[in-house]
Amino acid sequence: MVETKIIILDQQEIVYKIHYKRIKNCYLRVEKGEVVIRCSPLFSQIEIEKLIRNHQEEILEQIKGYVPKYNYQEDGYVYLFNQKYQIVLKDMNIKKCAIHDRQIYVYSKNIQATTEMFLKQELMNYLKERIDFYLSTSFHHVFPEIQIKKMKRRWGACFYQKNRVCFNLVLAHIDYALIDYVIVHELCHFLEANHSKAFYHEIEKRMPDYKERERLLKDVGI
């Protein structure tokens, strides 16, 4: 069950969505510029809005700083590796894209599917290159199977028993340095399965500034 409400924060109307779940606590996140609450039906609107007001400054800052990563329409735009490209539709009924200067030419009227196919290939090329680099310099591990999927909450996942790593397609939109953090994070799961102190020690050995990259990644949001 989902409810949509409005709250006034610093003279601004802020829409928030409540997702009622079978959980004990109340959790708040800003997702794609929207305030999302996940909580038990036992929480009252007063309690929920108190939680929102307690985090007012952070919420307003995140909403203000949110920039959509794409607008899949003719004369829209898409971010590729943190660079913005204007979408130019050249419908030739071909599922293909090409970049010229700061424009991305899409040769099919199905803009989103065609562009996402292109983004997936670009991201896959980068992942293969960087995983090969890290394995040759920082890890003793065979090259894993790589998958790219759309995921709502995770940047990546490691299936160490199957020697497989999975990455979120959203990574195609962001900066290389942040993608590299996700790569190292997932590769370190081949050494330590859980998010223990030992796991983060393995990351730090290979990426001393990982905490800053992790913070920036949280600010970007999925």
Side-chain angles (χ1 to χ4, degrees), residues 88-141:
V88 179
L89 178 61
K90 297 286 186 181
D91 185 18
M92 298 173 63
N93 199 28
I94 303 172
K95 278 193 147 185
K96 178 182 174 182
C97 295
I99 287 179
H100 300 284
D101 297 322
R102 298 304 294 273
Q103 296 177 318
I104 180 168
Y105 286 78
V106 182
Y107 298 101
S108 168
K109 62 183 178 182
N110 193 339
I111 294 174
Q112 180 169 346
T114 305
T115 305
E116 286 184 346
M117 183 182 69
F118 176 77
L119 294 178
K120 186 175 183 178
Q121 188 57 57
E122 291 293 303
L123 178 59
M124 180 63 81
N125 292 341
Y126 185 75
L127 291 171
K128 286 180 177 178
E129 176 188 327
R130 296 304 288 168
I131 288 173
D132 184 59
F133 168 77
Y134 283 115
L135 290 179
S136 64
T137 59
S138 306
F139 294 86
H140 298 287
H141 193 81

Side-chain angles (χ1 to χ4, degrees), residues 1-5 16-23 36-43 48:
M1 178 180 176
V2 180
E3 289 186 357
T4 301
K5 305 283 186 180
Y16 67 94
K17 294 180 179 178
I18 309 171
H19 295 253
Y20 291 108
K21 306 281 186 180
R22 291 183 179 179
I23 54 179
V36 178
I37 303 291
R38 292 180 175 84
C39 66
S40 161
L42 298 177
F43 279 85
I48 292 170

Side-chain angles (χ1 to χ4, degrees), residues 139 157-158 160 184-195 199:
F139 294 86
C158 176
Y160 59 91
V184 171
H185 182 111
E186 299 308 331
L187 291 179
C188 281
H189 276 307
F190 288 118
L191 307 175
E192 296 286 343
N194 299 314
H195 291 100
F199 168 74

Side-chain angles (χ1 to χ4, degrees), residues 16-200:
Y16 67 94
K17 294 180 179 178
I18 309 171
H19 295 253
Y20 291 108
K21 306 281 186 180
R22 291 183 179 179
I23 54 179
K24 293 181 180 180
N25 298 316
C26 185
Y27 300 96
L28 182 155
R29 288 172 63 98
V30 177
E31 300 176 358
K32 297 183 179 180
E34 291 186 343
V35 178
V36 178
I37 303 291
R38 292 180 175 84
C39 66
S40 161
L42 298 177
F43 279 85
S44 68
Q45 187 173 346
I46 293 174
E47 290 173 305
I48 292 170
E49 295 199 350
K50 182 180 178 181
L51 176 65
I52 294 173
R53 294 188 192 282
N54 285 343
H55 294 84
Q56 174 174 315
E57 290 186 11
E58 303 163 49
I59 290 169
L60 292 176
E61 189 65 28
Q62 289 187 54
I63 290 174
K64 179 182 176 182
Y66 174 72
V67 178
K69 300 173 180 72
Y70 52 80
N71 178 15
Y72 288 130
Q73 61 181 15
E74 187 173 0
D75 297 322
Y77 64 88
V78 63
Y79 278 82
L80 173 60
F81 301 134
N82 209 32
Q83 295 293 319
K84 187 177 182 180
Y85 295 90
Q86 180 190 6
I87 291 173
V88 179
L89 178 61
K90 297 286 186 181
D91 185 18
M92 298 173 63
N93 199 28
I94 303 172
K95 278 193 147 185
K96 178 182 174 182
C97 295
I99 287 179
H100 300 284
D101 297 322
R102 298 304 294 273
Q103 296 177 318
I104 180 168
Y105 286 78
V106 182
Y107 298 101
S108 168
K109 62 183 178 182
N110 193 339
I111 294 174
Q112 180 169 346
T114 305
T115 305
E116 286 184 346
M117 183 182 69
F118 176 77
L119 294 178
K120 186 175 183 178
Q121 188 57 57
E122 291 293 303
L123 178 59
M124 180 63 81
N125 292 341
Y126 185 75
L127 291 171
K128 286 180 177 178
E129 176 188 327
R130 296 304 288 168
I131 288 173
D132 184 59
F133 168 77
Y134 283 115
L135 290 179
S136 64
T137 59
S138 306
F139 294 86
H140 298 287
H141 193 81
V142 296
F143 202 95
E145 177 189 352
I146 304 171
Q147 292 182 337
I148 298 174
K149 296 180 179 180
K150 288 183 178 180
M151 294 185 277
K152 291 183 178 181
R153 301 185 185 284
R154 305 175 74 177
W155 292 106
C158 176
F159 304 92
Y160 59 91
Q161 294 176 327
K162 297 181 179 180
N163 193 34
R164 180 191 304 155
V165 282
C166 184
F167 296 93
N168 196 329
L169 180 60
V170 174
L171 288 169
H173 301 298
I174 68 176
D175 191 78
Y176 292 118
L178 304 185
I179 301 173
D180 279 18
Y181 166 71
V182 178
I183 291 171
V184 171
H185 182 111
E186 299 308 331
L187 291 179
C188 281
H189 276 307
F190 288 118
L191 307 175
E192 296 286 343
N194 299 314
H195 291 100
S196 61
K197 287 184 179 180
F199 168 74
Y200 285 104

Side-chain angles (χ1 to χ4, degrees), residues 5-22:
K5 305 283 186 180
I6 293 175
I7 187 172
I8 305 298
L9 300 180
D10 194 24
Q11 300 182 342
Q12 297 182 52
E13 278 195 0
I14 303 297
V15 175
Y16 67 94
K17 294 180 179 178
I18 309 171
H19 295 253
Y20 291 108
K21 306 281 186 180
R22 291 183 179 179

